[in-house]
Amino acid sequence: MSMIEDRLRAATHAAADTIPAHSAPPLRLPEPARRAARGASRSRGRRLTVRLVAPLAAAAAVIAVIAVAASLPSGNQPPRPPVSGPASSLIHGVPRYYMQISNVATLAGAAIVRDTLTGATVATARPPRSYGFTYITGAADDRTFVLLGLKGQASRSPAGAAELFQAHFDPADRAITVTQLHVRANLTYLQALALSPNGAELAVSLVEGAGRTNVAQIQVYSLTSGTVREWHDPGSVQAMAWAPHGQLALDWSPAHGAGGIAMLDTNTAGGSLTGASRVIVNYQQPGHYALHPGFAVSGDGTTLVIPVQRVPWRNRSAATEIRWYSVATGREIRAYSPPPAVANESWQVLWTSSSGQVTVLRRTASDNTDRSGYFGILRGSKFAPIPAPIPAAEAGGFYSLPLAF
């Protein structure tokens, strides 16, 4: 069960109590604190610990992209399909390469670099002996990545130690160089990673228990000097995305008060997470919509691009939009609606351009019978799928392998 599905279930309960609570699989982490939004208590969310990251490398899901372009101030207008176009005409400005973690038996836990335009495999790097890569984050140069490696995953033995590795791709010789990072974070309580656009800083989100209240810790490591700064407060941060000039967008769930997507100023010395950040967009949006954590920040730092889920309410079924919000004002700028929902679907913004006008989007679903989707590039009203080779070994399954641009 993904964090996105947790967020949907929590929002649904707060809006209409239409979906019965489901029990979560047992975790070793203490239960997170409840967060309030619009006076309603949000259900407890599960954490992205290293024990839950590992199954992601073996999972699969249908990949799709937003297929409808409509300017929707309230999200209630019927969708219109975008105009399809060749990828070569829309690829300008999109990173040429992306890195993906493989779950094919012969390359389980390996890092693969693919050509965005063709989908061809350009380079492959196996993890260090006895490790398997399970999580990935990338810099803005589509050459530099940080990978989470779990010991024991490659041999399918019980998970042991977790380590972070830096991977650098050189297109000239089509090779990936992997080196271990000596980051002192307690990765047992890992929730998310985010590599800064220039690849010089790594943000690590952790959660630790203090009685009945979880404490969120954001640690920012300099990968050049090794120094670290930390911000903490009761609550949790389940996803992060860098903006320019040291600003870090957080999926912030405080122990008290309404949460949302907040912007943390990492130029400060550390200390209070609440004191160094401000909530830009609240979790709960008008019309019974709730934010999802698969968001991105435009390269110029002016726009948040966020998946927004309409929860079932009265006679309305679930639906998803991608919305653009102003970082300065928190106001919605525009929205796009995808095609009708499939079972257990969720959406991600994998990358967005400097202006936010060009995005790479992906839909994942745990419905094994739905193979209609792919991921691709949306520029204005034109869309082009990005080739996504699916090995025969994965046929009939679902496809949600970790990847990063």
Side-chain angles (χ1 to χ4, degrees), residues 249-391:
L250 309 173
D251 175 35
W252 171 226
S253 303
H256 305 286
I261 307 301
M263 196 69 74
L264 170 68
D265 184 2
T266 69
N267 297 308
T268 60
S272 169
L273 180 56
T274 304
S277 64
R278 64 183 180 93
V279 174
I280 297 172
V281 185
N282 291 331
Y283 280 130
Q284 296 295 329
Q285 291 291 297
H288 298 277
Y289 280 83
L291 305 184
H292 280 194
F295 60 89
V297 186
S298 64
D300 61 11
T302 64
T303 309
L304 280 163
V305 189
I306 309 173
V308 182
Q309 180 74 43
R310 186 181 73 193
V311 300
W313 180 70
R314 294 183 179 176
N315 295 325
R316 297 192 320 175
S317 60
T320 303
E321 291 181 354
I322 303 296
R323 292 186 183 176
W324 285 252
Y325 293 90
S326 167
V327 170
T329 66
R331 294 179 179 176
E332 180 186 332
I333 300 171
R334 61 190 182 100
Y336 284 89
S337 292
V342 297
N344 301 316
E345 77 168 10
S346 60
W347 291 81
Q348 293 174 284
V349 181
L350 296 174
W351 176 87
T352 187
S353 63
S354 179
S355 65
Q357 299 300 309
V358 183
T359 54
V360 176
L361 306 163
R362 176 171 74 166
R363 182 182 72 184
T364 61
S366 59
D367 182 351
N368 291 7
T369 63
D370 186 287
R371 302 293 301 179
S372 62
Y374 29 68
F375 75 109
I377 305 161
L378 184 67
R379 181 192 296 269
S381 61
K382 293 184 178 180
F383 163 76
I386 294 174
I390 301 177

Side-chain angles (χ1 to χ4, degrees), residues 163-164 180-185 221 223 226:
E163 298 289 347
L164 294 174
Q180 185 173 343
L181 293 173
H182 299 287
V183 171
R184 300 184 299 277
Y221 291 84
L223 300 185

Side-chain angles (χ1 to χ4, degrees), residues 98-184:
Y98 65 91
M99 182 175 283
Q100 182 178 45
I101 296 174
S102 172
N103 73 341
V104 180
T106 55
L107 287 173
I112 298 174
V113 171
R114 294 192 187 279
D115 187 302
T116 304
L117 180 60
T118 67
T121 297
V122 179
T124 301
R126 296 182 181 272
R129 184 177 178 83
S130 76
Y131 281 89
F133 294 137
T134 60
Y135 191 90
I136 186 170
T137 177
D141 62 358
D142 69 344
R143 306 288 194 277
T144 308
F145 304 87
V146 167
L147 297 154
L148 175 69
L150 294 187
K151 198 168 188 178
Q153 293 304 305
S155 60
R156 298 186 180 180
S157 60
E163 298 289 347
L164 294 174
F165 300 87
Q166 186 175 64
H168 181 75
F169 167 61
D170 186 349
D173 58 11
R174 292 174 167 253
I176 305 171
T177 303
V178 177
T179 56
Q180 185 173 343
L181 293 173
H182 299 287
V183 171
R184 300 184 299 277

